[in-house]
Amino acid sequence: MICSTLRRVGHVHIYLVRKASGVSKGHHQQTVGSRPAASEFAARGASGNLLELLGKSYPQDNYSNLSRKVLSRVGRNLHNQQHHPLWLIKERVKEHFYQQYVGRFGTPLFSVYDDLSPVVTTWQNFDSLLIPADHPSRKKGDNYYVNGTHMLRAHTSAHQWDLLRAGLDAFLVVGDVYRRDQIDSQHYPVFHQLEGVRLFSKHELFTGIKDGESLQLFEQSSRSAYKQETHTMEATKLVEFDLKQTLTRLVTHLFGDAGAQDQIGWAFGLGLERLAMILYDIPDIRLFWSEDERFLKQFRVSDINQKVKFQPLSKYPAVINDISFWLPSENYTENDFYDLVRTIGGDLVEKVELIDKFEHPKTHKTSHCYRITYRHMERTLSQREVRRVHQAVQEAAVQLLGVEGRF
């Protein structure tokens, strides 16, 4: 797919989508750094060991960086757990598309895929979308790799090429996606996306348009293995209008009034957690993984469109500890540290902030100071309990990230 970004609306990314022809289906091998990743603390064995994941075996190599924390989330499929808030959002979107978009024979126009495996090839996640080999989004620091050729999908767009090649031209994909990121109430290494794709033939796009029979999808230009012809302004404007109308209807349904060889189309992506946090007033993204009945029972409703306002659980006090260290001369990324803290502290960690940077005037070594906020969602933490976790973070940072502690 070639994705030409048009604009960003809140957390909704809007694209014109065109399927390119003749793209080589070769796996991309990336350069591997010499320093072990922080996530090795939990999940990695020696290079060559096998990782069992969702019923399949994958050889590990020096690109593997899955943490125990992330592995524990694979296969949970919160979006398919009945009466979970993410399931409610998914079902509401499905209901809207089934009712609003009907094919010629009265059947739903959009098909839904919500059980595709999150383990994809790097070709599916990057190359099929024509993401260049040197693009920053491929960085090991930003993704969870099973090995050099397989990874946990970073977006549901990883399935677009396969579904379009199967002949589909209108579909929704829902699933868990994985990214190494900062730590706060809005970010989690696993979240859920819902993506929509629709393609139009020339006949479908221009039917009902005055003088539509004379309009074309493409301008007179050349096609290569990496780029197709340019779409005409008329085709682009009509597809943009259709996407805007589609999203406007969906947002109104949820909130109330508040490319192919000879086709053109659009795609959008929505974060289910972000929608649920707004719709249900859920304050912390960690709550979606809670098994506390006080949380889950609030979403057991008889009608998926029933209004739900989350009633907060008791707010337990935070325990705050700082950690400072000198950075190694190379191969350090902040996401390595965040992933290490997640792996060791789990969901006890509410937030990690970089509060100070310092460069020594003589040695030119750089020091970082992070503030870690620990807070349990269901009980009060003791300073003694937190101190053990914090000390483990300090020791692991020295051992695995090569930092020099200033503890």
Side-chain angles (χ1 to χ4, degrees), residues 221-277:
S221 55
S222 61
R223 176 186 294 245
S224 71
Y226 304 100
K227 183 180 181 297
Q228 65 179 30
E229 303 94 325
T230 302
H231 284 299
T232 63
M233 183 60 68
E234 294 85 1
T236 300
K237 288 296 183 183
L238 284 170
V239 170
E240 183 179 354
F241 175 77
D242 187 85
L243 175 56
K244 180 179 179 181
Q245 193 175 53
T246 298
L247 290 175
T248 299
R249 289 173 177 170
L250 176 59
V251 170
T252 301
H253 173 70
L254 292 176
F255 294 95
D257 291 326
Q261 304 290 347
D262 55 356
Q263 294 172 299
I264 186 173
W266 52 246
F268 69 82
L270 303 171
L272 294 187
E273 278 86 351
R274 297 293 173 87
L275 287 175
M277 292 174 84

Side-chain angles (χ1 to χ4, degrees), residues 125-317:
N125 199 81
F126 299 119
D127 300 81
S128 72
L129 300 170
L130 299 189
I131 296 174
D134 58 351
H135 196 275
S137 66
R138 293 179 181 256
K139 289 190 304 184
K140 184 177 176 182
D142 292 341
N143 300 284
Y144 286 104
Y145 284 91
V146 178
N147 53 37
T149 58
H150 289 78
M151 63 187 297
L152 297 179
R153 62 190 169 206
H155 42 231
T156 49
S157 302
H159 303 289
Q160 281 186 8
W161 191 91
D162 294 302
L163 294 174
L164 290 171
R165 190 165 183 249
L168 299 173
D169 56 15
F171 55 86
L172 304 177
V173 181
V174 192
D176 44 336
V177 298
Y178 300 78
R179 296 180 194 169
R180 303 177 84 210
D181 209 340
Q182 64 198 79
I183 300 176
D184 57 37
S185 63
Q186 301 288 321
H187 294 86
Y188 202 80
V190 190
F191 57 102
H192 297 74
Q193 282 187 341
L194 184 147
E195 176 166 325
V197 174
R198 187 176 184 185
L199 300 182
F200 300 87
S201 65
K202 175 181 174 181
H203 172 74
E204 290 170 324
L205 189 63
F206 296 130
T207 294
I209 302 298
K210 184 179 179 180
D211 300 324
E213 64 276 0
S214 66
L215 299 176
Q216 301 295 323
L217 290 181
F218 298 98
E219 294 179 355
Q220 294 298 318
S221 55
S222 61
R223 176 186 294 245
S224 71
Y226 304 100
K227 183 180 181 297
Q228 65 179 30
E229 303 94 325
T230 302
H231 284 299
T232 63
M233 183 60 68
E234 294 85 1
T236 300
K237 288 296 183 183
L238 284 170
V239 170
E240 183 179 354
F241 175 77
D242 187 85
L243 175 56
K244 180 179 179 181
Q245 193 175 53
T246 298
L247 290 175
T248 299
R249 289 173 177 170
L250 176 59
V251 170
T252 301
H253 173 70
L254 292 176
F255 294 95
D257 291 326
Q261 304 290 347
D262 55 356
Q263 294 172 299
I264 186 173
W266 52 246
F268 69 82
L270 303 171
L272 294 187
E273 278 86 351
R274 297 293 173 87
L275 287 175
M277 292 174 84
I278 295 170
L279 280 169
Y280 304 136
D281 288 334
I282 297 174
D284 194 305
I285 197 169
R286 291 176 297 165
L287 280 165
F288 291 105
W289 297 92
S290 175
E291 296 181 356
D292 191 324
E293 270 298 301
R294 294 174 299 169
F295 173 76
L296 296 174
K297 70 180 181 182
Q298 297 186 42
F299 302 95
R300 295 196 184 107
V301 293
S302 57
D303 180 357
I304 59 173
N305 293 304
Q306 180 177 327
K307 288 188 176 181
V308 178
K309 181 177 175 60
F310 171 65
Q311 300 300 315
L313 310 180
S314 299
K315 184 72 170 180
Y316 295 97

Side-chain angles (χ1 to χ4, degrees), residues 5-208:
T5 305
L6 295 180
R7 63 174 65 87
R8 178 172 176 174
V9 182
H11 297 290
V12 180
H13 297 270
I14 305 175
Y15 308 95
L16 283 180
V17 181
R18 308 184 296 273
K19 183 181 175 184
S21 61
V23 180
S24 173
K25 191 174 180 179
H27 293 294
H28 170 64
Q29 293 288 346
Q30 304 198 37
T31 304
V32 179
S34 59
R35 185 178 301 285
S39 51
E40 290 180 2
F41 180 82
R44 274 199 55 188
S47 180
N49 284 358
L50 292 179
L51 173 67
E52 298 292 333
L53 190 57
L54 299 179
K56 293 185 178 181
S57 298
Y58 299 91
Q60 296 187 81
D61 57 27
N62 52 4
Y63 220 72
S64 306
N65 68 345
L66 293 180
S67 66
R68 181 180 63 239
K69 176 70 175 178
V70 167
L71 284 173
S72 71
R73 300 314 194 205
V74 178
R76 288 281 300 273
N77 298 324
L78 299 182
H79 60 288
N80 288 335
Q81 293 184 18
Q82 193 171 21
H83 298 301
H84 190 279
L86 299 182
W87 176 86
L88 289 176
I89 298 290
K90 182 195 74 172
E91 292 300 309
R92 292 180 67 180
V93 174
K94 282 173 54 180
E95 178 188 68
H96 171 76
F97 274 86
Y98 283 170
Q99 292 178 352
Q100 294 291 321
Y101 304 95
V102 180
R104 287 180 296 173
F105 305 106
T107 55
L109 179 65
F110 284 81
S111 51
V112 178
Y113 298 87
D114 60 7
D115 60 355
L116 300 175
S117 173
V119 182
V120 298
T121 64
T122 53
W123 187 90
Q124 289 174 297
N125 199 81
F126 299 119
D127 300 81
S128 72
L129 300 170
L130 299 189
I131 296 174
D134 58 351
H135 196 275
S137 66
R138 293 179 181 256
K139 289 190 304 184
K140 184 177 176 182
D142 292 341
N143 300 284
Y144 286 104
Y145 284 91
V146 178
N147 53 37
T149 58
H150 289 78
M151 63 187 297
L152 297 179
R153 62 190 169 206
H155 42 231
T156 49
S157 302
H159 303 289
Q160 281 186 8
W161 191 91
D162 294 302
L163 294 174
L164 290 171
R165 190 165 183 249
L168 299 173
D169 56 15
F171 55 86
L172 304 177
V173 181
V174 192
D176 44 336
V177 298
Y178 300 78
R179 296 180 194 169
R180 303 177 84 210
D181 209 340
Q182 64 198 79
I183 300 176
D184 57 37
S185 63
Q186 301 288 321
H187 294 86
Y188 202 80
V190 190
F191 57 102
H192 297 74
Q193 282 187 341
L194 184 147
E195 176 166 325
V197 174
R198 187 176 184 185
L199 300 182
F200 300 87
S201 65
K202 175 181 174 181
H203 172 74
E204 290 170 324
L205 189 63
F206 296 130
T207 294

